[in-house]
């Protein structure tokens, strides 16, 4: 629960950051994707720095505390709109940890889009996912006649009664992006809740073992002394796994980028709308609550499955679980590939000013994809952290946990390639690339399996 606010803020950014950049600054998918990937690269690579600081100072709780404070400051800075005057068991334990931190992630997208749509509603307008891009085209005088006609129809449906489309575009964009700013503000409250929980319970949290910075003996998880050769083998194994997961995260973390773009451009959002009176919960961002919901819902089931296999002596080793998860992720993008066959290109729908609802796909396509991706995530993310904790020598625990996240950072840095493909090649082909990336990760893990199981002391059940 002390980390719940961090996940709330993380999923707030995942839900609305790329769309905010496009609506606020008129960026296309490629440019927004580049900024998005740099941002997520920075999140995870700085965790590596945090690992260095924690190991060096031996002040693990203090490092976490300052992380919470700095994140709160970051959300505070992005939460306020510009002034118009100036503007334009180890595995099980980590699985439980992963489940609880996703509690905050479930509600973040709902809060974000609820605030954004409430702000529009309070000024007499309704939400429409196609209007921001059309408004930017109108203001930049590059809108096509067909798109201009569609923009007028959508403006009327959104509550505009005038005839000056340029005036409407300017006002709608200002309200739309101001609502996004206030959505970021919600994350401040969640961060403060986490801060209070952490500070209140800080003294009762257990201390990491062997905190002495003068310790000269390195022990394994069984308390036996490790020699230099074993330490090197363990570090080599970790680095090999880090290299492999780069390709997985490049594919998996498309949920806040190309999958969100797909929800906005190709999915019938009218079927995922909830009217609360003062606001309407509708938008592409709402799909970002599906993944954390499935994490919380499916974690006990996955843990029960592993527990059952463990009781029968058939539980897969942690490296094998990770490889299986990568194969499951490939299956998710196979579903997207098949579901996208025959859809028009992004360039075509831009010229048309967007797709009408009757030509959009059912939300069930994304729901099914997120379900499969979440199963894959539960085989990889918490178990990957568990794998690092098993293999890393104690005095390198912080830096190796940071190394896992640094590998995630490198995968995230490649996210912009997804946005680039989304805009320039057939949509089904974009998903096919992610299928290939996940399969490369899976087969590489399987090739290293015996070596990794020997190092971890695990065997296939």
């Amino acid at each position: 629960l002390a980390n719940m606010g961090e996940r709330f803020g993380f999923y707030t950014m995942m839900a609305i950051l790329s769309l905010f950049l496009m609506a606020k600054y008129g960026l296309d998918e490629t440019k927004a994707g580049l900024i998005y990937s740099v941002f997520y690269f920075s999140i995870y690579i700085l965790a590596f720095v945090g690992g260095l600081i924690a190991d060096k100072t031996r002040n693990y709780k203090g490092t976490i505390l300052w992380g919470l404070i700095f994140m709160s400051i970051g959300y505070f800075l992005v939460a306020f709109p510009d002034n118009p005057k100036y503007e334009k068991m180890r595995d099980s334990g980590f699985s439980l940890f992963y489940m609880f931190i996703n509690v905050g992630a479930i509600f973040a997208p709902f809060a974000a889009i609820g605030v954004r749509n409430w702000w529009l509603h309070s000024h007499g307008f309704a939400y429409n996912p196609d209007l921001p891009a059309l408004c930017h085209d109108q203001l930049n005088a590059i809108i096509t006649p067909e798109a201009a006609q569609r923009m007028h129809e959508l403006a009327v449906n959104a509550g505009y009664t005038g005839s000056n489309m340029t005036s409407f575009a300017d006002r709608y964009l200002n309200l739309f992006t101001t609502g996004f700013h206030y959505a970021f503000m919600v994350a401040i409250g969640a961060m403060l809740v986490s801060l209070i929980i952490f500070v209140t319970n800080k003294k009762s949290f257990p201390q990491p073992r062997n905190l002495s910075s003068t310790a000269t003996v390195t022990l394994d998880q069984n308390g036996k002394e490790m020699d230099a050769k074993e330490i090197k083998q363990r570090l080599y194994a970790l680095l090999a796994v880090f290299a492999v997961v780069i390709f997985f995260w490049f594919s998996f973390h498309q949920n806040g980028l190309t999958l969100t773009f797909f929800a906005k451009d190709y999915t019938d959002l009218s079927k995922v709308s909830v009217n609360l009176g003062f606001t309407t919960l509708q938008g592409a961002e709402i799909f970002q609550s599906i993944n954390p919901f499935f994490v919380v819902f499916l974690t006990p089931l996955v843990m029960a499955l592993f527990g059952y296999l463990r009781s029968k002596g058939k539980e897969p080793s942690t490296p094998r679980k990770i490889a299986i998860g990568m194969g499951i992720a490939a299956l998710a993008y196979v579903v997207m590939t098949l579901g996208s066959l025959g859809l028009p290109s992004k360039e075509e729908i831009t010229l048309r000013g967007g797709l009408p609802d009757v030509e959009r796909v059912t939300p069930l396509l994304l729901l099914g994809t997120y379900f499969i991706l979440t199963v894959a995530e539960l085989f990889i993310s918490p178990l990957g952290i568990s794998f690092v904790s098993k293999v890393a020598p104690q005095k390198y625990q912080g830096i190796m946990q940071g190394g896992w996240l640094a590998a995630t950072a490198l995968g995230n840095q490649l996210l912009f390639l997804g946005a680039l493909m989304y805009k320039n090649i057939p949509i089904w082909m974009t998903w096919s690339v992610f299928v290939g990336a996940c399969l490369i990760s899976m087969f590489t893990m399987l090739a290293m399996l015996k070596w990794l199981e020997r190092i971890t002391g695990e065997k296939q059940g």
Side-chain angles (χ1 to χ4, degrees), residues 121-136:
H121 180 77
S122 67
H123 288 80
F125 290 119
Y127 163 81
N128 185 280
D130 292 331
L131 276 175
L134 291 170
C135 289
H136 279 293

Side-chain angles (χ1 to χ4, degrees), residues 13-14 17-18 32-40 253 256-257 415:
M13 300 297 274
M14 182 174 289
L17 178 59
S18 59
L34 179 60
I35 295 174
Y36 181 92
S37 61
V38 169
F39 172 70
Y40 272 81
H253 275 163
L257 197 63
L415 289 175

Side-chain angles (χ1 to χ4, degrees), residues 173-351:
L173 280 176
N174 181 57
L175 292 171
F176 197 92
T177 57
T178 298
F180 268 141
H181 280 293
Y182 293 152
F184 289 122
M185 191 177 294
V186 179
I188 299 173
M191 288 301 304
L192 291 177
V193 170
S194 275
L195 186 62
I196 291 170
I197 292 174
F198 185 84
V199 171
T200 303
N201 295 278
K202 184 169 177 279
K203 292 183 178 179
S204 63
F205 290 151
Q207 291 281 5
R209 292 171 295 177
N210 293 347
L211 282 182
S212 173
S213 59
T214 60
T216 58
V217 177
T218 302
L219 307 178
D220 62 17
Q221 61 266 32
N222 298 316
K224 297 180 179 179
E225 183 177 350
M226 284 188 282
D227 58 23
K229 182 179 179 181
E230 182 179 356
I231 292 174
K232 286 183 179 180
Q233 283 293 309
R234 287 170 174 259
L235 295 180
Y236 290 154
L238 288 170
L239 292 175
V241 172
F242 294 165
V244 172
V245 298
I246 290 173
F247 295 97
F248 169 78
W249 292 119
F250 158 64
S251 303
F252 179 80
H253 275 163
Q254 294 294 329
N255 50 0
L257 197 63
T258 54
L259 287 173
T260 294
F261 294 158
F262 185 87
K264 176 177 71 73
D265 296 330
Y266 292 96
T267 304
D268 185 0
L269 298 177
S270 65
K271 296 181 179 179
V272 287
S273 175
V274 179
N275 191 341
L276 300 180
F278 65 95
T279 187
T280 302
L281 297 179
Q282 181 185 15
E285 306 91 336
I286 203 170
F287 286 96
Q288 294 312 311
S289 67
I290 302 302
N291 169 245
F293 170 79
F294 282 146
V295 168
V296 174
F297 175 74
L298 292 174
T299 294
L301 300 180
V302 173
M303 290 177 60
L305 172 63
F306 291 155
Y308 172 78
L309 293 175
R310 188 183 311 121
S311 68
K312 299 294 183 180
K314 297 180 179 180
E315 183 183 14
S317 64
T318 302
R320 190 179 294 269
K321 291 175 184 175
I322 295 173
I324 293 171
M326 291 169 176
I328 296 173
L331 176 62
Y333 283 109
V334 168
V335 171
M336 284 301 297
T337 301
L338 296 176
S340 300
L341 293 174
L343 291 177
S345 66
K346 170 61 179 176
E347 181 180 8
E348 181 180 342
I349 65 174
T350 298
L351 293 174

Side-chain angles (χ1 to χ4, degrees), residues 132-155:
L134 291 170
C135 289
H136 279 293
D137 287 350
Q138 173 71 27
L139 294 176
N140 294 327
I142 59 173
I143 194 168
T144 65
E146 185 178 1
Q149 180 179 352
R150 176 168 169 76
M151 177 183 174
H152 185 270
E153 295 172 356
L154 294 179

